[in-house]
Amino acid sequence: NAGVMQNPRHLVRRRGQEARLRCSPMKGHSHVYWYRQLPEEGLKFMVYLQKENIIDESGMPKERFSAEFPKEGPSILRIQQVVRGDSAAYFCASSPTQEADYGYTFGSGTRLTVV
Amino acid sequence: QKEVEQNSGPLSVPEGAIASLNCTYSDRVSQSFFWYRQYSGKSPELIMSIYSNGDKEDGRFTAQLNKASQYVSLLIRDSQPSDSATYLCAVTSNYGQNFVFGPGTRLSVLP
């Protein structure tokens, strides 16, 4: 019974390149959340998606960042033209319902380093 | 702006002592409250949830909630060196669809 799977675990990109982060939710979960954790800071909500729909992207930077959760396959967080300030840990979580009232389990995260 | 605040620490306690971690939140409509533990370089791990005023105990952990004071705390009894981690307070926001996290309190349990 696999948990939330994220890959890659570590990703190094040069400034200006694109970063693609993948998240496969737990089996039976159709709600996915992305959070970002900058060094020495807490987690910040980025985006909440259901299959084929973005429900809340209020935490997403307006430029260069996008997210999708297609009908088939993992959720993708895409960062175009990365800059040093994008270096962070990106965590994904999933839940079976739209309410986060019961807490949710995070994946192991993707640590992005921009050089 | 909805905020969750915690003392950043580090909080140092001797092994076997009680560690007390505090959290305040600004959004009065928040209904659900969580404590996550995060070891360095790892992902956050859910350790406690609490939804109503009062205390909730689970093993060595006790969560306390006071909605009138907008205050949540976590007590860790008989602290162990393996409890050394950052503890994140999380509060539901936006009709329960996502969490607002505090900055975390770093706990160090000294052997």
Side-chain angles (χ1 to χ4, degrees):
Chain A
N1 188 15
V4 179
M5 304 299 291
Q6 289 188 251
N7 65 81
R9 292 290 297 272
H10 300 275
L11 182 62
V12 179
R13 284 288 177 267
R14 295 186 184 279
R15 281 178 295 171
Q17 290 185 321
E18 179 179 287
R20 281 188 177 235
L21 289 62
R22 296 175 190 78
C23 170
S24 295
M26 292 180 68
K27 188 176 182 179
H29 288 193
S30 59
H31 302 257
V32 165
Y33 311 81
W34 286 93
Y35 285 76
R36 177 167 67 173
Q37 187 172 37
L38 294 167
E40 304 302 321
E41 292 189 16
L43 288 128
K44 302 294 185 186
F45 168 74
M46 298 184 74
V47 62
Y48 161 43
L49 310 103
Q50 292 181 28
K51 286 281 187 181
E52 300 183 277
N53 287 301
I54 297 174
I55 306 303
D56 180 358
E57 57 182 348
S58 58
M60 287 275 273
K62 293 290 185 286
E63 298 178 350
R64 302 188 297 107
F65 285 72
S66 62
E68 63 177 5
F69 189 16
K71 186 176 181 180
E72 301 292 336
S75 175
I76 306 289
L77 180 66
R78 182 182 177 203
I79 311 172
Q80 294 178 292
Q81 298 177 318
V82 296
V83 301
R84 289 241 171 93
D86 296 333
S87 295
Y90 293 81
F91 293 100
C92 168
S94 71
S95 69
T97 68
Q98 68 180 13
E99 282 82 32
D101 284 349
Y102 298 102
Y104 39 61
T105 302
F106 286 95
S108 55
T110 293
R111 282 147 185 85
L112 172 66
T113 301
V114 179
V115 297
Chain B
Q1 182 175 352
K2 302 180 180 70
E3 291 184 348
V4 177
E5 298 184 351
Q6 298 179 252
N7 291 329
S8 61
L11 172 66
S12 295
V13 300
E15 184 174 356
I18 296 175
S20 178
L21 305 163
N22 303 317
C23 170
T24 58
Y25 60 95
S26 63
D27 188 359
R28 287 192 171 276
V29 303
S30 296
Q31 294 295 318
S32 304
F33 308 87
F34 305 89
W35 285 98
Y36 281 82
R37 177 175 63 197
Q38 187 175 27
Y39 293 111
S40 181
K42 302 295 185 182
S43 61
E45 173 192 8
L46 179 64
I47 56 172
M48 286 289 287
S49 59
I50 187 165
Y51 308 101
S52 54
N53 284 328
D55 295 359
K56 178 181 177 182
E57 187 175 319
D58 183 0
R60 296 186 297 113
F61 299 100
T62 299
Q64 299 174 318
L65 174 60
N66 183 327
K67 289 187 179 180
S69 300
Q70 295 175 243
Y71 174 87
V72 192
S73 67
L74 179 70
L75 300 178
I76 307 175
R77 289 182 300 281
D78 187 24
S79 296
Q80 302 297 309
S82 59
D83 295 326
S84 298
T86 297
Y87 289 80
L88 302 167
C89 175
V91 174
T92 51
S93 180
N94 192 22
Y95 304 101
Q97 290 184 338
N98 60 66
F99 292 158
V100 178
F101 280 85
T105 298
R106 191 180 309 171
L107 173 66
S108 178
V109 180
L110 307 173

